[in-house]
Amino acid sequence: MTNKAIHPFETMIIVISRLIHNGEVAATGTLSPIPAAALFLAQRQHAPDLVPMVYGDPDMRITDGLMEFFGLVQRGMVDLFFLSAIQIDQKGNFNLSVIGDHARPKLRLPGGAGSNMMAMMAKRTIFFTVTHTPKLFVPEVDFINGTAQDTSIPWRRGVVSHLATPLCLLRYDPAKGAIVLDSTYPGISLQMVAENTGFDLDIESRDIPEIAPILQEELDFLRGEVKERLQRIYPLFCSMLW
Amino acid sequence: MRDPFSGRKYVVVPPIVPDVAVIHAFKGDMFGNIITDSFRNDRLLAMAARKTIAVVEELVEPDAVLPGKHGVFVSRVHINAVVVAPGGAHPTACRDTYDIDTAHIMTYMEATKDEKSFLNYLEAYITGPKDHTQYLKLVKSEVNND
């Protein structure tokens, strides 16, 4: 079988797809080709009863756009949502608004949009990031758009479960209230992960496994059927990756 | 604020009531009944605004104002004016009719980098062309030259 090198984004897609459970209602927002591909792959592999709500998917039908979708999430009908951020800190706080002081920022971004509500009301949230650097994983975010969990809010439904990056899979440990390393990818050392993260991932005190090997079947579906489906929604991403 | 039914405390915000909403729809009739893209919040906008202008790709007979796979019906009671403008969503897309004009969006993004280049953009594409037809002719000729 011909096998070109596995791109880190392909590893991320496969790793995320394995976190998706059969029967879940799982949704993606804008600019989210990696989780969209993960949903399609999971549906093809082990989650045939998954309900993927991929923003922009011509196969999805809805009546009232984001109003209907946000309403669905607020009612607790969405099991899984995906977010990214410009900064994420050890506590699992995330920033989508500004770099620097909020009043005089070095960089101003479009902002949080519905991310705070989604992280609170979807049953769980998985983060995906297209880089893994100390600028992204910082000791403390410059602005908090949302948190990983907050027990002081009684109606909060969801927690952050995992964070997939191009270097590794992180997870949020609710007992510790901190992000820790879950598993590494083939060819990526613990040292490399630690050097590129601006806070301690609790690597020293325990054994960190490598992800289960990527199966030929997963790659074949990803580069075949999943790619075909994704191309209709994210043509630029697909031409960049494949 | 305390919810009078459950007794729980909630943060509340007042509704936004736009003076005017402008939406781009697939088709409409002369009375203002329209079919628009169901992925957007056009119906909500039309119901929230004091006045709503619907720009439509196509003017059709009242019996033909029927939603397809990705359309949603918005009643004339929410619409104050219909403007027939095929290609009216350019440089963004109109589902199933035309795609986003990526090259033009890039031109626009470049132009927004400073005041002077943005004024040049306005002159070339917005204030320059005498009407929408001429604007479309201009942007189409650029696509053909690529």
Side-chain angles (χ1 to χ4, degrees), chain A residues 139-173:
Chain A
E140 206 174 325
V141 293
D142 294 344
F143 184 82
I144 299 177
N145 286 98
T147 55
Q149 71 169 356
D150 190 340
T151 47
S152 71
I153 300 171
W155 42 261
R156 177 167 185 161
R157 200 172 275 121
V159 290
V160 170
S161 75
H162 292 81
L163 306 90
T165 86
L167 295 185
C168 63
L169 180 65
L170 305 169
R171 80 184 139 77
Y172 179 74
D173 182 336

Side-chain angles (χ1 to χ4, degrees), chain A residues 96-116:
Chain A
L96 281 151
S97 283
V98 291
I99 295 292
D101 178 33
H102 189 261
R104 302 175 67 90
K106 276 186 240 161
L107 179 67
R108 186 178 288 285
L109 297 142
S115 60
N116 181 293

Side-chain angles (χ1 to χ4, degrees), chain B residues 11-31:
Chain B
V11 173
V12 295
V13 289
I16 297 168
V17 184
D19 289 328
V20 183
V22 183
I23 60 179
H24 189 86
F26 297 148
K27 56 189 165 189
D29 68 18
M30 61 180 292
F31 303 107

